[in-house]
Amino acid sequence: MRVALLLAAGIFVTCPGLHAQSSLKAWQPDGAEIAKRYAGAKYMDSAVKVGILNRTVQPNWIKDGTAFWYKKSLKDSAVEYVYIDAVKGRRKTITKEEAAALPFDSVAAPPRNRWRGRRSAYEEAAPDSSYSAFLRNGNLFLKKINGTEADIALTSDGSNEQPYGAFSWSPDSRYLVAYRIKPVKDSSVYYVLTSQTGTTRGQLRSQEYKQPGDPFTSYEMFLFEAATRKQVKVNTDIIDFGYPSALQWRGNKHFLFERTDRGHQRFRVIEVNVETARTRNVIEEQTPTFIYEQRIVTRYLYDNNSILWVSEKDGWRRMYMVDVVTGSCKPVNQGQWVVREVDSVDEKKKEIWFRASGMDATEDPYHIHYYRIGMDGKNLLSLTPEDGTHQMSFSKDKRFYIDNWSRVNTAPVTVLRRTADGKKIMDLEQADISGLLATGLRLPEIFHAKGRDGVTDIWGIVCRPSNFDSTVKYPVIENIYAGPQDSFVPKSFMAYSEMQSMAELGFIVVQMDGMGTANRSKAFHDMCWHNLADAGFPDRIAWIKALAAKYPYVDDSRVGLYGTSAGGQNAMGGLLFHPEFYSAAVAACGCHDNRVDKQWWNEQWMGYPIGKHYEEQSNVTNAAKLKGNLLLIVGEADTNVPPESTYRVADALIKANKTFDFLPVPGMGHSDGGPYGRAKKRDFFVKHLLGVDPPDRNK
């Protein structure tokens, strides 16, 4: 009743389900206005290059680790040198000469991830330098390193076509592990360079390229005892997917290796007893959907006879301590949050240093924070408490650390903290973005709304024009990339972007991470399984509708989307599968048919063997469903997604008598089409969402 009275009185109100925003008129500029918008976007692209002062601090630690100096940027390209006493928390300005005279020590490099794979070796010496193992005509031989004895043949059934290889000695040099290998040569994909200088002929290029369903080289594991020349086949299946993992020796009698079965639904850490050639599973994970192979983390802790293992097996990406002897598996952490990375493990102190997101339910669940925790799950310490996404660097002895944090619309802040308890010692710098803001730039807004289930929050960002007018309705353009390998919405400070540049033309440009992407719960991620065509569209559409419900100037009746690679597949998919919502799309270098694209990526999410769902979800198969306006862009020299992926979908569109625009870019690799492609993308949305012709560049 109250709402009705307010409307009768001419008072504007908004509330859920009430479309009072319909009173706003759609913004439809004329040619002169759009020309000004192009000029304004070009100006902004240049003006924002003023830069940000002191976005971060690059410390130069002195050798005893108690102090450091850094160079601070001032206006008008001036600099000053700042000396920080980390123990006392004091700062002072010094000269360049004083800084150079300090006993400098570089910060220790972060530990690298363990090397998971190993290719064939052709010769490898035993640890005690007694023998060297080598290949001859595909067979395995031993030779005395300091002797004149004849070479010893360990095998006779190998050949150059099917050799032995990938050697590994036991620590006591008693045993040698090797594989009998049946190589598979990958088939090739091709492209033609049409515009090479110095020739009038197109140049054919090719590369070996494994597509879904293609066979793999196989590896059969054998044990050899150097003294007796005894050969025994290890009691394990032939490895017919990927490469053999690096072996992890536990003493001299046991080693462990890892394998993921093809189809990505089973992962094992297998222990081999070299005296019996028998095996047992120390870790075995199976799932009805997928195990994200590239994010399996195993840290072998030799002093503790244990493995630190990171897995999503219980619904969230968590850490577990696995006892190698007993096989017991105990969680290190609990809760509905995600371990993002294990940075280091201190076996002596039994501490794990890691990154995680989502632990604080009051902030963006994608923000990355740093933590320390005991292997027993006790004494969890937050090292980076501020609401934002963080980057850390330690002093060499790890007594102190520098933390740089920001949000997409919050300028970076750099602080110095004490490692022992995480206590803040002092603020170092806050980035100066005054020059950036003086251009009139609008920083993006962080926005979240419920997804398809009405429960789960979907997070994204919103970019508006600098000369934004809330009394008109602007069309929406979505920047889409729904690849399940990660999440993609920026979380650290975003000074400027193509999204903002496009917004200057008179659009609301948005980006969000829908279900099926990573870094949330396993259930959130599982939406992609055998289902890449879904691309989180129900969540994305709900998000944009919620944005329009909150802001009357958001016109959810005029929505376009653009993307590259998997995003190109998604962009076209929006028109094929959701034409009631999306009306224009620019798809660059899209993997429009998952059977045409690379094996390792597509089988990870679409599964193996190659089922009917591959065909059913293909943009090529569904091309005849096209509604709305489509621009396809492809680089003729794309070595990531074969160019024929786009040509096949173009062929299907032609056969279905569909209207679309097509831009092949000579010599271009895997990209959005480069500067020309990006210009055509803008023109395309101006024409089809704003209803006005873009400037004629031929005049």
Side-chain angles (χ1 to χ4, degrees), residues 26-29 34 38 474-477 502 505-507 555 557-561 575 581-587 626-632 659-662 679-695:
W27 187 67
Q28 291 181 314
I34 205 64
Y38 272 88
Y474 293 93
V476 180
I477 300 176
M502 291 177 67
L505 297 178
F507 300 105
D555 189 351
S557 70
R558 293 186 291 169
V559 183
L561 71 172
L575 298 186
F581 189 76
Y582 297 102
S583 60
V586 178
L626 179 67
K627 293 183 180 179
N629 301 287
L630 173 66
L631 167 60
L632 295 173
T659 299
F660 66 101
D661 292 337
F662 184 42
K680 294 296 290 183
K681 174 170 58 183
R682 296 176 183 221
D683 293 351
F684 183 84
F685 286 129
V686 164
K687 179 177 181 178
H688 294 292
L689 292 182
L690 292 177
V692 61
D693 288 334

Short mmCIF file of all heavy atoms in Angstrom, two decimals, residues 26-29 34 38 474-477 502 505-507 555 557-561 575 581-587 626-632 659-662 679-695:
data_model
loop_
_atom_site.label_atom_id
_atom_site.label_comp_id
_atom_site.label_asym_id
_atom_site.label_seq_id
_atom_site.Cartn_x
_atom_site.Cartn_y
_atom_site.Cartn_z
N ALA A 26 16.48 4.00 -22.58
CA ALA A 26 17.71 3.38 -23.03
C ALA A 26 18.62 4.43 -23.66
O ALA A 26 18.16 5.28 -24.44
CB ALA A 26 17.40 2.29 -24.05
N TRP A 27 19.88 4.38 -23.30
CA TRP A 27 20.84 5.33 -23.85
C TRP A 27 21.19 4.90 -25.27
O TRP A 27 21.71 3.81 -25.50
CB TRP A 27 22.10 5.38 -23.00
CG TRP A 27 23.04 6.47 -23.42
CD1 TRP A 27 22.83 7.81 -23.32
CD2 TRP A 27 24.32 6.32 -24.02
NE1 TRP A 27 23.90 8.51 -23.82
CE2 TRP A 27 24.83 7.61 -24.26
CE3 TRP A 27 25.09 5.23 -24.40
CZ2 TRP A 27 26.08 7.83 -24.84
CZ3 TRP A 27 26.33 5.44 -24.98
CH2 TRP A 27 26.82 6.73 -25.19
N GLN A 28 20.89 5.75 -26.25
CA GLN A 28 21.15 5.47 -27.66
C GLN A 28 21.74 6.72 -28.30
O GLN A 28 21.02 7.58 -28.79
CB GLN A 28 19.87 5.04 -28.37
CG GLN A 28 19.37 3.66 -27.91
CD GLN A 28 18.13 3.22 -28.63
OE1 GLN A 28 17.19 3.98 -28.80
NE2 GLN A 28 18.12 1.96 -29.06
N PRO A 29 23.05 6.83 -28.29
CA PRO A 29 23.71 8.03 -28.80
C PRO A 29 23.62 8.12 -30.32
O PRO A 29 23.38 7.12 -31.01
CB PRO A 29 25.16 7.83 -28.36
CG PRO A 29 25.32 6.34 -28.33
CD PRO A 29 24.00 5.80 -27.85
N ILE A 34 28.80 9.29 -30.30
CA ILE A 34 29.65 8.10 -30.21
C ILE A 34 31.07 8.42 -30.67
O ILE A 34 32.05 7.85 -30.16
CB ILE A 34 29.06 6.92 -31.00
CG1 ILE A 34 29.57 5.59 -30.41
CG2 ILE A 34 29.38 6.98 -32.48
CD1 ILE A 34 29.16 5.32 -29.00
N TYR A 38 34.47 7.65 -28.51
CA TYR A 38 35.70 7.01 -28.97
C TYR A 38 36.91 7.88 -28.64
O TYR A 38 37.95 7.37 -28.18
CB TYR A 38 35.63 6.75 -30.48
CG TYR A 38 35.00 5.44 -30.87
CD1 TYR A 38 33.63 5.33 -31.05
CD2 TYR A 38 35.78 4.30 -31.07
CE1 TYR A 38 33.04 4.12 -31.42
CE2 TYR A 38 35.21 3.09 -31.44
CZ TYR A 38 33.84 3.01 -31.62
OH TYR A 38 33.27 1.81 -31.98
N TYR A 474 22.12 1.85 -19.58
CA TYR A 474 23.26 1.46 -20.40
C TYR A 474 23.22 -0.04 -20.70
O TYR A 474 22.93 -0.86 -19.82
CB TYR A 474 24.58 1.75 -19.69
CG TYR A 474 24.88 3.20 -19.49
CD1 TYR A 474 24.51 3.86 -18.31
CD2 TYR A 474 25.54 3.94 -20.46
CE1 TYR A 474 24.80 5.20 -18.11
CE2 TYR A 474 25.84 5.29 -20.27
CZ TYR A 474 25.46 5.91 -19.09
OH TYR A 474 25.75 7.24 -18.89
N PRO A 475 23.54 -0.43 -21.93
CA PRO A 475 23.65 -1.87 -22.21
C PRO A 475 24.84 -2.47 -21.46
O PRO A 475 25.75 -1.77 -21.03
CB PRO A 475 23.86 -1.92 -23.73
CG PRO A 475 24.37 -0.58 -24.10
CD PRO A 475 23.80 0.40 -23.12
N VAL A 476 24.79 -3.80 -21.33
CA VAL A 476 25.79 -4.53 -20.55
C VAL A 476 26.66 -5.37 -21.47
O VAL A 476 26.15 -6.01 -22.40
CB VAL A 476 25.10 -5.45 -19.52
CG1 VAL A 476 26.13 -6.22 -18.69
CG2 VAL A 476 24.19 -4.64 -18.61
N ILE A 477 27.96 -5.37 -21.21
CA ILE A 477 28.88 -6.29 -21.89
C ILE A 477 29.57 -7.13 -20.82
O ILE A 477 30.13 -6.59 -19.87
CB ILE A 477 29.93 -5.54 -22.72
CG1 ILE A 477 29.28 -4.68 -23.80
CG2 ILE A 477 30.90 -6.53 -23.36
CD1 ILE A 477 30.26 -3.84 -24.59
N MET A 502 36.42 -0.03 -22.61
CA MET A 502 35.18 -0.27 -23.35
C MET A 502 34.00 0.42 -22.70
O MET A 502 33.09 0.92 -23.38
CB MET A 502 34.92 -1.78 -23.46
CG MET A 502 35.91 -2.50 -24.36
SD MET A 502 35.62 -4.29 -24.40
CE MET A 502 34.03 -4.34 -25.23
N LEU A 505 32.87 3.91 -23.80
CA LEU A 505 32.05 4.11 -24.99
C LEU A 505 30.56 4.19 -24.67
O LEU A 505 29.76 4.56 -25.54
CB LEU A 505 32.28 2.96 -25.98
CG LEU A 505 33.70 2.84 -26.54
CD1 LEU A 505 33.79 1.64 -27.47
CD2 LEU A 505 34.12 4.11 -27.27
N GLY A 506 30.21 3.85 -23.43
CA GLY A 506 28.81 3.93 -23.04
C GLY A 506 28.20 2.59 -22.68
O GLY A 506 27.04 2.31 -23.01
N PHE A 507 28.98 1.75 -21.98
CA PHE A 507 28.52 0.44 -21.57
C PHE A 507 28.77 0.23 -20.08
O PHE A 507 29.65 0.86 -19.48
CB PHE A 507 29.26 -0.67 -22.33
CG PHE A 507 29.10 -0.63 -23.82
CD1 PHE A 507 30.13 -0.17 -24.63
CD2 PHE A 507 27.92 -1.05 -24.41
CE1 PHE A 507 30.00 -0.14 -26.00
CE2 PHE A 507 27.78 -1.02 -25.79
CZ PHE A 507 28.81 -0.56 -26.59
N ASP A 555 20.83 -1.98 -18.12
CA ASP A 555 19.81 -2.47 -19.06
C ASP A 555 20.07 -3.94 -19.37
O ASP A 555 20.88 -4.28 -20.24
CB ASP A 555 19.86 -1.64 -20.35
CG ASP A 555 18.70 -1.95 -21.29
OD1 ASP A 555 17.98 -2.92 -21.03
OD2 ASP A 555 18.54 -1.22 -22.28
N SER A 557 18.19 -5.88 -20.85
CA SER A 557 17.56 -6.31 -22.11
C SER A 557 18.51 -6.17 -23.29
O SER A 557 18.21 -6.61 -24.39
CB SER A 557 16.30 -5.49 -22.37
OG SER A 557 16.62 -4.14 -22.69
N ARG A 558 19.67 -5.54 -23.06
CA ARG A 558 20.70 -5.39 -24.10
C ARG A 558 22.02 -5.88 -23.51
O ARG A 558 22.75 -5.12 -22.86
CB ARG A 558 20.83 -3.93 -24.55
CG ARG A 558 19.62 -3.36 -25.27
CD ARG A 558 19.91 -1.96 -25.78
NE ARG A 558 20.03 -0.98 -24.69
CZ ARG A 558 20.48 0.26 -24.84
NH1 ARG A 558 20.87 0.69 -26.04
NH2 ARG A 558 20.55 1.08 -23.81
N VAL A 559 22.31 -7.17 -23.70
CA VAL A 559 23.50 -7.76 -23.08
C VAL A 559 24.33 -8.47 -24.14
O VAL A 559 23.82 -9.28 -24.91
CB VAL A 559 23.11 -8.76 -21.97
CG1 VAL A 559 24.38 -9.30 -21.28
CG2 VAL A 559 22.19 -8.11 -20.95
N GLY A 560 25.62 -8.15 -24.16
CA GLY A 560 26.57 -8.83 -25.03
C GLY A 560 27.66 -9.48 -24.20
O GLY A 560 27.75 -9.28 -22.98
N LEU A 561 28.50 -10.25 -24.84
CA LEU A 561 29.62 -10.88 -24.13
C LEU A 561 30.75 -11.16 -25.10
O LEU A 561 30.54 -11.27 -26.31
CB LEU A 561 29.18 -12.15 -23.42
CG LEU A 561 28.83 -13.43 -24.21
CD1 LEU A 561 28.63 -14.59 -23.24
CD2 LEU A 561 27.58 -13.26 -25.05
N LEU A 575 25.12 -17.16 -27.11
CA LEU A 575 24.10 -16.95 -28.15
C LEU A 575 23.40 -18.25 -28.52
O LEU A 575 22.21 -18.24 -28.87
CB LEU A 575 24.75 -16.35 -29.40
CG LEU A 575 25.42 -14.98 -29.26
CD1 LEU A 575 25.87 -14.49 -30.62
CD2 LEU A 575 24.49 -13.97 -28.62
N PHE A 581 18.72 -14.09 -23.47
CA PHE A 581 19.37 -13.11 -22.60
C PHE A 581 20.49 -12.37 -23.33
O PHE A 581 20.58 -11.15 -23.25
CB PHE A 581 19.92 -13.80 -21.36
CG PHE A 581 20.42 -12.84 -20.31
CD1 PHE A 581 19.52 -12.14 -19.52
CD2 PHE A 581 21.77 -12.62 -20.13
CE1 PHE A 581 19.97 -11.24 -18.56
CE2 PHE A 581 22.24 -11.72 -19.17
CZ PHE A 581 21.32 -11.03 -18.38
N TYR A 582 21.34 -13.09 -24.03
CA TYR A 582 22.47 -12.48 -24.74
C TYR A 582 22.09 -12.25 -26.20
O TYR A 582 21.52 -13.12 -26.84
CB TYR A 582 23.70 -13.38 -24.68
CG TYR A 582 24.23 -13.62 -23.29
CD1 TYR A 582 23.98 -14.81 -22.61
CD2 TYR A 582 25.01 -12.66 -22.64
CE1 TYR A 582 24.48 -15.05 -21.34
CE2 TYR A 582 25.51 -12.88 -21.36
CZ TYR A 582 25.24 -14.08 -20.72
OH TYR A 582 25.73 -14.30 -19.46
N SER A 583 22.45 -11.07 -26.71
CA SER A 583 22.08 -10.75 -28.09
C SER A 583 23.26 -10.46 -29.00
O SER A 583 23.08 -10.34 -30.21
CB SER A 583 21.14 -9.54 -28.10
OG SER A 583 21.78 -8.40 -27.52
N ALA A 584 24.48 -10.34 -28.46
CA ALA A 584 25.66 -10.06 -29.28
C ALA A 584 26.88 -10.68 -28.62
O ALA A 584 27.02 -10.64 -27.40
CB ALA A 584 25.85 -8.56 -29.46
N ALA A 585 27.77 -11.25 -29.44
CA ALA A 585 28.95 -11.91 -28.88
C ALA A 585 30.13 -11.77 -29.83
O ALA A 585 29.98 -11.85 -31.05
CB ALA A 585 28.67 -13.38 -28.61
N VAL A 586 31.32 -11.60 -29.23
CA VAL A 586 32.58 -11.63 -29.98
C VAL A 586 33.39 -12.79 -29.42
O VAL A 586 33.75 -12.80 -28.24
CB VAL A 586 33.35 -10.31 -29.84
CG1 VAL A 586 34.69 -10.40 -30.58
CG2 VAL A 586 32.52 -9.14 -30.37
N ALA A 587 33.66 -13.78 -30.27
CA ALA A 587 34.34 -15.00 -29.86
C ALA A 587 35.68 -15.08 -30.58
O ALA A 587 35.72 -15.24 -31.80
CB ALA A 587 33.48 -16.22 -30.19
N LEU A 626 22.02 -20.61 -33.72
CA LEU A 626 22.47 -19.23 -33.52
C LEU A 626 21.33 -18.22 -33.67
O LEU A 626 20.60 -18.21 -34.66
CB LEU A 626 23.58 -18.88 -34.52
CG LEU A 626 24.11 -17.45 -34.42
CD1 LEU A 626 24.86 -17.24 -33.10
CD2 LEU A 626 25.01 -17.11 -35.60
N LYS A 627 21.23 -17.37 -32.65
CA LYS A 627 20.39 -16.18 -32.71
C LYS A 627 21.25 -15.01 -32.24
O LYS A 627 22.17 -15.18 -31.46
CB LYS A 627 19.15 -16.34 -31.83
CG LYS A 627 18.17 -17.40 -32.30
CD LYS A 627 16.94 -17.45 -31.41
CE LYS A 627 15.97 -18.52 -31.90
NZ LYS A 627 14.76 -18.60 -31.03
N GLY A 628 20.90 -13.82 -32.67
CA GLY A 628 21.68 -12.66 -32.28
C GLY A 628 22.84 -12.43 -33.22
O GLY A 628 22.92 -12.99 -34.32
N ASN A 629 23.75 -11.57 -32.82
CA ASN A 629 24.85 -11.11 -33.67
C ASN A 629 26.17 -11.67 -33.17
O ASN A 629 26.50 -11.55 -31.99
CB ASN A 629 24.89 -9.58 -33.67
CG ASN A 629 23.59 -8.99 -34.18
OD1 ASN A 629 23.30 -9.03 -35.36
ND2 ASN A 629 22.79 -8.45 -33.26
N LEU A 630 26.93 -12.25 -34.08
CA LEU A 630 28.17 -12.94 -33.73
C LEU A 630 29.32 -12.46 -34.59
O LEU A 630 29.20 -12.35 -35.80
CB LEU A 630 27.99 -14.46 -33.92
CG LEU A 630 29.24 -15.32 -33.76
CD1 LEU A 630 29.75 -15.29 -32.32
CD2 LEU A 630 28.95 -16.75 -34.20
N LEU A 631 30.46 -12.18 -33.93
CA LEU A 631 31.71 -11.92 -34.61
C LEU A 631 32.71 -12.99 -34.18
O LEU A 631 33.00 -13.13 -32.98
CB LEU A 631 32.26 -10.53 -34.25
CG LEU A 631 33.71 -10.23 -34.65
CD1 LEU A 631 33.92 -10.35 -36.15
CD2 LEU A 631 34.14 -8.85 -34.15
N LEU A 632 33.22 -13.75 -35.14
CA LEU A 632 34.27 -14.73 -34.90
C LEU A 632 35.61 -14.13 -35.28
O LEU A 632 35.75 -13.54 -36.35
CB LEU A 632 34.03 -15.99 -35.73
CG LEU A 632 32.79 -16.83 -35.43
CD1 LEU A 632 32.65 -17.95 -36.47
CD2 LEU A 632 32.87 -17.43 -34.03
N THR A 659 23.76 -15.69 -40.48
CA THR A 659 24.49 -14.45 -40.69
C THR A 659 25.47 -14.25 -39.53
O THR A 659 25.07 -14.35 -38.36
CB THR A 659 23.54 -13.26 -40.76
OG1 THR A 659 22.64 -13.45 -41.87
CG2 THR A 659 24.31 -11.96 -40.95
N PHE A 660 26.72 -13.96 -39.86
CA PHE A 660 27.72 -13.70 -38.81
C PHE A 660 28.88 -12.95 -39.44
O PHE A 660 29.04 -12.91 -40.66
CB PHE A 660 28.20 -15.00 -38.16
CG PHE A 660 28.97 -15.91 -39.09
CD1 PHE A 660 30.35 -15.97 -39.04
CD2 PHE A 660 28.30 -16.71 -40.01
CE1 PHE A 660 31.06 -16.81 -39.89
CE2 PHE A 660 29.00 -17.55 -40.87
CZ PHE A 660 30.39 -17.60 -40.81
N ASP A 661 29.70 -12.33 -38.61
CA ASP A 661 30.91 -11.65 -39.07
C ASP A 661 32.11 -12.53 -38.76
O ASP A 661 32.15 -13.23 -37.74
CB ASP A 661 31.06 -10.30 -38.37
CG ASP A 661 29.99 -9.30 -38.79
OD1 ASP A 661 29.44 -9.47 -39.89
OD2 ASP A 661 29.70 -8.37 -38.02
N PHE A 662 33.12 -12.46 -39.63
CA PHE A 662 34.27 -13.34 -39.50
C PHE A 662 35.54 -12.56 -39.76
O PHE A 662 35.68 -11.93 -40.82
CB PHE A 662 34.13 -14.50 -40.49
CG PHE A 662 35.22 -15.55 -40.38
CD1 PHE A 662 35.67 -15.99 -39.15
CD2 PHE A 662 35.77 -16.10 -41.52
CE1 PHE A 662 36.64 -16.97 -39.05
CE2 PHE A 662 36.75 -17.08 -41.45
CZ PHE A 662 37.19 -17.51 -40.20
N ALA A 679 39.71 -3.37 -31.74
CA ALA A 679 38.95 -2.25 -32.32
C ALA A 679 37.67 -2.75 -32.98
O ALA A 679 36.60 -2.14 -32.83
CB ALA A 679 39.82 -1.51 -33.34
N LYS A 680 37.76 -3.86 -33.70
CA LYS A 680 36.57 -4.42 -34.34
C LYS A 680 35.55 -4.88 -33.30
O LYS A 680 34.34 -4.80 -33.52
CB LYS A 680 36.96 -5.58 -35.25
CG LYS A 680 37.81 -5.18 -36.45
CD LYS A 680 37.04 -4.26 -37.40
CE LYS A 680 35.93 -4.97 -38.13
NZ LYS A 680 35.23 -4.08 -39.09
N LYS A 681 36.04 -5.37 -32.18
CA LYS A 681 35.15 -5.80 -31.11
C LYS A 681 34.34 -4.62 -30.58
O LYS A 681 33.12 -4.72 -30.40
CB LYS A 681 35.97 -6.44 -29.98
CG LYS A 681 35.17 -6.80 -28.74
CD LYS A 681 36.00 -7.65 -27.78
CE LYS A 681 37.28 -6.99 -27.34
NZ LYS A 681 38.09 -7.85 -26.47
N ARG A 682 34.99 -3.51 -30.35
CA ARG A 682 34.29 -2.31 -29.87
C ARG A 682 33.25 -1.85 -30.89
O ARG A 682 32.11 -1.54 -30.53
CB ARG A 682 35.29 -1.19 -29.59
CG ARG A 682 36.25 -1.51 -28.47
CD ARG A 682 37.27 -0.39 -28.31
NE ARG A 682 38.23 -0.74 -27.29
CZ ARG A 682 38.70 0.11 -26.39
NH1 ARG A 682 38.30 1.37 -26.41
NH2 ARG A 682 39.57 -0.27 -25.49
N ASP A 683 33.68 -1.79 -32.14
CA ASP A 683 32.76 -1.36 -33.20
C ASP A 683 31.53 -2.27 -33.26
O ASP A 683 30.40 -1.81 -33.46
CB ASP A 683 33.46 -1.40 -34.56
CG ASP A 683 34.57 -0.36 -34.67
OD1 ASP A 683 34.69 0.49 -33.77
OD2 ASP A 683 35.32 -0.42 -35.67
N PHE A 684 31.77 -3.55 -33.06
CA PHE A 684 30.69 -4.53 -33.15
C PHE A 684 29.64 -4.28 -32.06
O PHE A 684 28.43 -4.27 -32.33
CB PHE A 684 31.29 -5.94 -32.99
CG PHE A 684 30.31 -7.06 -33.13
CD1 PHE A 684 29.96 -7.54 -34.38
CD2 PHE A 684 29.74 -7.65 -32.02
CE1 PHE A 684 29.06 -8.59 -34.52
CE2 PHE A 684 28.84 -8.69 -32.13
CZ PHE A 684 28.50 -9.17 -33.39
N PHE A 685 30.09 -4.04 -30.83
CA PHE A 685 29.14 -3.80 -29.74
C PHE A 685 28.46 -2.43 -29.87
O PHE A 685 27.28 -2.29 -29.52
CB PHE A 685 29.83 -3.93 -28.39
CG PHE A 685 30.15 -5.35 -28.00
CD1 PHE A 685 31.43 -5.71 -27.60
CD2 PHE A 685 29.17 -6.32 -28.05
CE1 PHE A 685 31.72 -7.02 -27.24
CE2 PHE A 685 29.45 -7.64 -27.69
CZ PHE A 685 30.73 -7.98 -27.29
N VAL A 686 29.19 -1.45 -30.36
CA VAL A 686 28.57 -0.14 -30.58
C VAL A 686 27.42 -0.27 -31.58
O VAL A 686 26.33 0.28 -31.38
CB VAL A 686 29.62 0.87 -31.07
CG1 VAL A 686 28.96 2.11 -31.67
CG2 VAL A 686 30.55 1.27 -29.92
N LYS A 687 27.65 -1.02 -32.62
CA LYS A 687 26.62 -1.17 -33.65
C LYS A 687 25.44 -1.99 -33.15
O LYS A 687 24.27 -1.62 -33.37
CB LYS A 687 27.24 -1.83 -34.88
CG LYS A 687 26.23 -2.05 -36.02
CD LYS A 687 26.90 -2.63 -37.25
CE LYS A 687 25.89 -2.83 -38.38
NZ LYS A 687 26.54 -3.36 -39.62
N HIS A 688 25.71 -3.11 -32.47
CA HIS A 688 24.63 -4.05 -32.17
C HIS A 688 23.99 -3.86 -30.80
O HIS A 688 22.88 -4.34 -30.59
CB HIS A 688 25.15 -5.48 -32.32
CG HIS A 688 25.50 -5.84 -33.72
ND1 HIS A 688 24.57 -5.96 -34.72
CD2 HIS A 688 26.71 -6.08 -34.30
CE1 HIS A 688 25.17 -6.28 -35.86
NE2 HIS A 688 26.47 -6.35 -35.63
N LEU A 689 24.65 -3.17 -29.87
CA LEU A 689 24.04 -2.91 -28.57
C LEU A 689 23.57 -1.47 -28.43
O LEU A 689 22.57 -1.20 -27.76
CB LEU A 689 25.01 -3.25 -27.43
CG LEU A 689 25.35 -4.74 -27.25
CD1 LEU A 689 26.28 -4.92 -26.05
CD2 LEU A 689 24.09 -5.59 -27.07
N LEU A 690 24.30 -0.54 -29.06
CA LEU A 690 23.90 0.87 -29.00
C LEU A 690 23.09 1.29 -30.22
O LEU A 690 22.45 2.35 -30.21
CB LEU A 690 25.14 1.76 -28.86
CG LEU A 690 25.89 1.66 -27.53
CD1 LEU A 690 27.14 2.55 -27.56
CD2 LEU A 690 25.00 2.04 -26.36
N GLY A 691 23.16 0.51 -31.28
CA GLY A 691 22.36 0.80 -32.46
C GLY A 691 22.85 1.98 -33.28
O GLY A 691 22.05 2.67 -33.92
N VAL A 692 24.15 2.22 -33.27
CA VAL A 692 24.70 3.34 -34.02
C VAL A 692 25.95 2.86 -34.75
O VAL A 692 26.68 1.99 -34.26
CB VAL A 692 25.03 4.52 -33.07
CG1 VAL A 692 26.05 4.12 -32.03
CG2 VAL A 692 25.52 5.73 -33.85
N ASP A 693 26.20 3.41 -35.92
CA ASP A 693 27.39 3.02 -36.67
C ASP A 693 28.64 3.59 -36.01
O ASP A 693 28.67 4.77 -35.62
CB ASP A 693 27.31 3.54 -38.11
CG ASP A 693 26.28 2.77 -38.92
OD1 ASP A 693 26.01 1.60 -38.58
OD2 ASP A 693 25.75 3.35 -39.90
N PRO A 694 29.69 2.79 -35.86
CA PRO A 694 30.94 3.31 -35.31
C PRO A 694 31.60 4.25 -36.32
O PRO A 694 31.20 4.30 -37.49
CB PRO A 694 31.77 2.04 -35.11
CG PRO A 694 31.24 1.08 -36.11
CD PRO A 694 29.77 1.37 -36.22
N PRO A 695 32.61 5.00 -35.89
CA PRO A 695 33.29 5.91 -36.82
C PRO A 695 33.86 5.15 -38.03
O PRO A 695 34.33 4.02 -37.91
CB PRO A 695 34.42 6.50 -35.96
CG PRO A 695 33.93 6.37 -34.56
CD PRO A 695 33.13 5.11 -34.52
#
